[in-house]
Amino acid sequence: MTISHPTVGRDDAPENAPEPAIPHAALTWSPREADRPMRDALARAAAPGAVAGDGCRVLARARALRAHVEARRAGILRLHARPRVLAAPVPLAPGRALADATAEGAAPLLDLAAAAGPGRALWDQPCTDWVALPPGVPRGRYVALSIHGDSMTPLLASGDTVLVRLDPEPRRGAVIVARHPEDGYLCKRVGALTARRVVLESLAPDHPPRTIPRDPALVLGPVVCAWGRDAG
């Protein structure tokens, strides 16, 4: 899953809203355990006498449940809304805008599509917008990015916006944004982690893992929040 510039609302966007409630028992499920009730529900929807349209509704609910479980596993807050985007007071490179945005409880909104090629400097790209931090997220040094691709479904979908806490130290199981020397910026889950390399895994089974050197300069940080209007 690659990163691109998001298309999001400005400060008149809907309020951040958590995803629909998930059964309490699901809070401790692993992704594999979450698959069982999904299969059962889909089987009931396909049974003779099922109401037309039940299958689509059950599938949407199943995807939301799996996404919820994956988000809890990775420590990600998922919001069923667009992020609130603010115009930056003065367009600056992200490195220079970061302190001002942090002081206002916001994060620079970055255009990583312009810095996708090898050797391009992310922090040199002009930043004209910020994203307001949602309630419950402590102030700190963050950047906001947009997801492009389906390799992290059902947790993240193409068009979702993610909030990344700047921290170059990867942790196993975390979903991070990192730079692959050849493929540019990627959003992946940290799999194997050694003193010399980091294996980046997709959640979708048809996407192979990628490996990068364990270099702090290649890791932007972990995803701590995700906005998606189709979530749930």
Side-chain angles (χ1 to χ4, degrees), residues 81-180:
R82 292 180 179 179
R84 189 163 66 94
V85 180
L86 313 170
V90 179
L92 296 171
R96 297 179 60 191
L98 186 60
D100 292 341
T102 300
E104 296 297 326
L109 181 58
L110 305 188
D111 183 359
L112 293 191
R120 297 296 299 274
L122 168 67
W123 301 106
D124 290 342
Q125 306 303 319
C127 175
T128 59
D129 294 313
W130 297 349
V131 168
L133 301 185
V137 173
R139 290 197 179 196
R141 300 172 73 249
Y142 303 91
V143 294
L145 318 166
S146 184
I147 294 298
H148 177 70
D150 62 357
S151 67
M152 290 299 285
T153 55
L155 174 60
L156 300 171
S158 192
D160 287 356
T161 302
V162 295
L163 185 69
V164 178
R165 186 180 75 247
L166 298 180
D167 179 358
E169 182 58 35
R171 294 169 178 80
R172 183 174 174 83
V175 173
I176 67 170
V177 172
R179 184 168 190 153
H180 189 279

Side-chain angles (χ1 to χ4, degrees), residues 192-215:
L193 188 62
T194 72
R196 294 187 176 183
R197 65 188 180 98
V198 180
V199 177
L200 303 174
E201 300 177 338
S202 300
L203 296 183
D206 54 342
H207 291 265
R210 310 287 182 86
T211 300
I212 62 172
R214 188 163 182 174
D215 181 351

Side-chain angles (χ1 to χ4, degrees), residues 4-46:
S4 63
H5 190 57
T7 302
V8 291
R10 292 188 172 271
D11 54 6
D12 58 350
E15 289 294 321
N16 293 314
E19 290 184 44
I22 300 294
H24 180 73
L27 300 184
T28 59
W29 286 349
S30 69
R32 179 173 295 180
E33 289 172 327
D35 284 338
R36 284 202 301 270
M38 291 181 204
R39 291 195 299 268
D40 293 345
L42 288 172
R44 289 195 300 272

